[in-house]
Amino acid sequence: MSEAQFSSGGPTFQSQARIKFYCDEDRCIDCHGCDVACKEAHHLPVGINRRRVITLNDGIQGKEKSLSIACMHCSDAPCAKVCPVDCFYIRADGIVLHDKKTCIGCGYCLYACPFGAPQFPKSDVFGSRGAMDKCTFCAGGPEETHSEEEFKLYGQNRIAEGKVPVCAAMCSTKALLAGSGEEVSAIIRHRAITRGSGTPKIPYTWSKAYGE
């Protein structure tokens, strides 16, 4: 399957296989289009960053790489394992969501997450931090789909409209991909062949998130 067959920002959701994010560090140009698009689309308050761009090997000439990071919707989500009130749930397509009305803001999920994805509106060490916020893969939450309450608590529900997450859709270099594991893997293989780099390595973020 050629990369040209995929829609802007990544594959469509024709497959019911497990969803995945992937950021191609050879294509990411640190433009922050992904995190800005996320904040704008979901009307996130100041201090809440569902997605962020980090720099690897900062200051080392020729080795600096940028990477867009958010919740990876892990297959064996550690956040869900440590939650004392079971506010997390995992959809059939692998998207990890949570119920803000159940969350008590204890922060256990933040310490368990290998990607630092959970966000809290307050920073009180000894008290509640407020209901946790994180990337929803633009799939909303447990409220009625496309209701005012769903948008207020979780932002846009683009998945219900058959669209890819806004961060991937807005990526100008197509570094950030979102879709089924099979479809994203096909793009990774295609790019590796095009570059002449042979069999691609399993992305580090995938080994942490999906145990591959």
Side-chain angles (χ1 to χ4, degrees):
M1 183 177 292
S2 73
E3 193 170 337
Q5 291 177 262
F6 293 99
S7 61
S8 175
T12 58
F13 289 88
Q14 296 174 352
S15 169
Q16 293 302 310
R18 187 183 210 297
I19 59 86
K20 292 180 179 178
F21 271 130
Y22 170 69
C23 182
D24 189 337
E25 61 186 31
D26 290 327
R27 289 192 173 215
C28 182
I29 57 173
D30 195 26
C31 70
H32 289 267
C34 55
D35 54 24
V36 171
C38 176
K39 289 184 75 74
E40 288 292 318
H42 300 303
H43 294 184
L44 300 181
V46 174
I48 297 295
N49 300 290
R50 293 182 180 179
R51 177 167 289 283
R52 65 191 189 281
V53 179
I54 63 172
T55 301
L56 307 175
N57 302 318
D58 192 15
I60 303 177
Q61 190 172 7
K63 292 187 176 180
E64 279 193 1
K65 299 280 187 179
S66 294
L67 202 61
S68 178
I69 290 287
C71 171
M72 291 294 287
H73 302 270
C74 300
S75 56
D76 192 21
C79 53
K81 284 185 172 180
V82 301
C83 180
V85 294
D86 293 327
C87 76
F88 291 91
Y89 62 100
I90 302 176
R91 297 180 12 154
D93 54 12
I95 297 175
V96 179
L97 298 176
H98 72 295
D99 188 339
K100 286 190 174 182
K101 293 181 178 178
T102 301
C103 176
I104 59 174
C106 66
Y108 287 5
C109 54
L110 174 59
Y111 294 113
C113 177
F115 304 104
Q119 303 279 297
F120 294 88
K122 303 176 185 176
S123 59
D124 188 348
V125 175
F126 301 104
S128 172
R129 306 175 188 211
M132 185 271 284
D133 191 280
K134 76 171 193 70
C135 164
T136 66
F137 210 84
C138 286
E143 309 301 327
E144 181 182 353
T145 300
H146 292 154
S147 64
E148 288 186 13
E149 190 72 353
E150 183 189 50
F151 182 80
K152 176 184 175 183
L153 293 173
Y154 307 99
Q156 292 186 14
N157 189 339
R158 292 171 57 89
I159 299 301
E161 300 173 357
K163 299 177 180 176
V164 297
V166 68
C167 53
M170 294 301 291
C171 181
S172 61
T173 63
K174 303 298 179 283
L176 185 60
L177 303 175
S180 75
E182 288 79 2
E183 292 166 332
V184 176
S185 294
I187 295 178
I188 295 173
R189 286 194 297 273
H190 175 70
R191 288 180 178 178
I193 292 171
T194 302
R195 292 167 182 155
S197 55
T199 304
K201 295 180 180 178
I202 296 173
Y204 172 76
T205 51
W206 281 23
S207 64
K208 294 291 290 185
Y210 314 122
E212 299 176 351

